[in-house]
């Protein structure tokens, strides 16, 4: 079983729509959780960290449910510029490697005018 | 935020040749750097963890004699793909952790697209 599982999509939504992405992780010892954004043929960039209490950054809201090992990202009022692949990322210490990141396959979002 | 550069950004080479990719942390000292590979429509897969002044730790299934990693200074790690073959064509991305920064956050380089013909 993969460490991080995501629905690859694609999600095609009109501007202004609200869209939600989900992610599950397999290891209950996971310590930190993130959503990254990756544009086509570019490196991933940190979108936001995810905390147990839930956190919001403008139009983006992230939630973590440790009991269910489930992470979500909600995007409100979608913009054309939100079109990208969204990566669910989990951090674990593994052996002697501190802060090892595990990436989901990513969920592709296309926002159309 | 912290900046990581990679060079070259893309490279085309012939089968059997070797290619070296450089990863530099520009405004911080990175004791640990990571090398990833990403195939089309796939997730980033960690290849190895590079620690300054010591041998790299390779992930299971990654050939250490084929993917040579050198982390000779606190700001530079290199990945050499030796005797490259078409199946090595991929997007190679490095990242670095700033020990004085946010815990567990990694800063990614812009990636190197390798095509082996």
């Amino acid at each position: 079983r993969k460490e991080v599982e995501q629905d690859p999509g694609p999600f095609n939504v009109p501007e202004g729509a609200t869209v939600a992405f989900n992610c599950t992780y397999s290891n209950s010892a996971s310590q930190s959780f993130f959503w990254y954004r990756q544009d086509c043929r570019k490196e991933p960039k940190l979108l936001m960290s995810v905390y147990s209490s839930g956190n919001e950054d403008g139009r983006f809201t992230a939630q973590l449910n440790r009991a269910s090992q489930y992470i979500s990202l909600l995007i409100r009022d979608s913009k054309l510029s939100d079109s990208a692949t969204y990566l669910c990322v989990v951090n674990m210490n593994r052996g002697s490697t501190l802060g090892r990141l595990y990436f989901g396959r990513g969920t592709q979002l296309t926002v159309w005018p | 935020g912290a900046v990581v550069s990679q060079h070259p950004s893309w490279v085309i080479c012939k089968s059997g040749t070797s290619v070296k990719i450089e990863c530099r942390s520009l405004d911080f000292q990175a004791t640990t750097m990571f090398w990833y590979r990403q195939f089309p429509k796939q997730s980033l897969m960690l290849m190895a963890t590079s620690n300054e002044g010591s041998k790299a730790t390779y992930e299971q299934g990654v050939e250490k004699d084929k993917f040579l990693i050198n982390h000779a200074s606190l700001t530079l790690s290199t990945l050499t793909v030796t005797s490259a073959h078409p199946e090595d064509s991929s997007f190679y991305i490095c990242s670095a952790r700033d020990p004085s920064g946010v815990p567990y956050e990694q800063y990614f380089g812009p990636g190197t697209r390798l095509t082996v013909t």
Side-chain angles (χ1 to χ4, degrees):
Chain A
R1 184 184 170 188
K2 290 186 179 178
E3 299 283 356
V4 183
E5 300 261 19
Q6 282 183 262
D7 178 352
F11 285 66
N12 298 304
V13 302
E15 268 188 296
T18 296
V19 62
F21 304 139
N22 303 317
C23 164
T24 57
Y25 59 96
S26 61
N27 194 324
S28 60
S30 302
Q31 295 154 311
S32 306
F33 310 88
F34 310 92
W35 283 100
Y36 277 73
R37 169 192 170 130
Q38 187 174 24
D39 292 290
C40 187
R41 304 173 79 86
K42 300 284 188 182
E43 77 277 21
K45 294 191 175 178
L46 180 64
L47 180 65
M48 59 197 303
S49 301
V50 188
Y51 304 111
S52 295
S53 56
N55 48 302
E56 187 173 308
D57 182 3
R59 298 181 293 108
F60 300 85
T61 301
Q63 291 276 357
L64 166 65
N65 183 322
R66 283 190 183 269
S68 303
Q69 295 179 200
Y70 173 93
I71 305 162
S72 66
L73 176 68
L74 183 76
I75 305 176
R76 292 182 300 278
D77 189 22
S78 299
K79 311 290 185 191
L80 297 178
S81 57
D82 293 335
S83 298
T85 297
Y86 290 83
L87 307 174
C88 178
V89 182
V90 172
N91 172 82
M92 266 182 279
N93 293 340
R94 175 65 60 88
S96 60
T97 302
L98 297 178
R100 191 206 190 288
L101 297 182
Y102 292 85
F103 287 80
R105 278 184 62 189
T107 299
Q108 186 180 342
L109 171 66
T110 301
V111 181
W112 44 274
Chain B
V3 179
V4 175
S5 70
Q6 261 183 261
H7 178 80
S9 55
W10 59 270
V11 57
I12 301 173
C13 71
K14 291 187 177 180
S15 188
T17 61
S18 294
V19 174
K20 180 185 282 189
I21 302 170
E22 292 186 349
C23 177
R24 293 181 186 273
S25 56
L26 297 185
D27 50 1
F28 65 99
Q29 293 185 326
T31 51
T32 304
M33 290 185 171
F34 301 87
W35 286 96
Y36 296 86
R37 179 169 54 182
Q38 186 178 32
F39 292 106
K41 298 192 182 299
Q42 299 294 319
S43 62
L44 273 73
M45 297 300 296
L46 181 65
M47 299 175 67
T49 302
S50 169
N51 294 298
E52 188 267 338
S54 64
K55 290 184 179 180
T57 302
Y58 289 82
E59 294 298 303
Q60 192 172 10
V62 177
E63 300 174 59
K64 62 181 181 180
D65 294 330
K66 181 171 180 63
F67 299 98
L68 302 179
I69 292 172
N70 186 301
H71 193 157
S73 78
L74 286 171
T75 59
L76 173 65
S77 176
T78 61
L79 168 68
T80 301
V81 183
T82 62
S83 186
H85 292 286
E87 58 265 30
D88 298 323
S89 299
S90 188
F91 190 43
Y92 291 86
I93 309 173
C94 73
S95 71
R97 188 190 297 127
D98 180 356
S100 65
V102 176
Y104 307 125
E105 184 170 356
Q106 293 181 19
Y107 300 94
F108 286 85
T112 297
R113 195 160 298 278
L114 170 64
T115 302
V116 185
T117 61

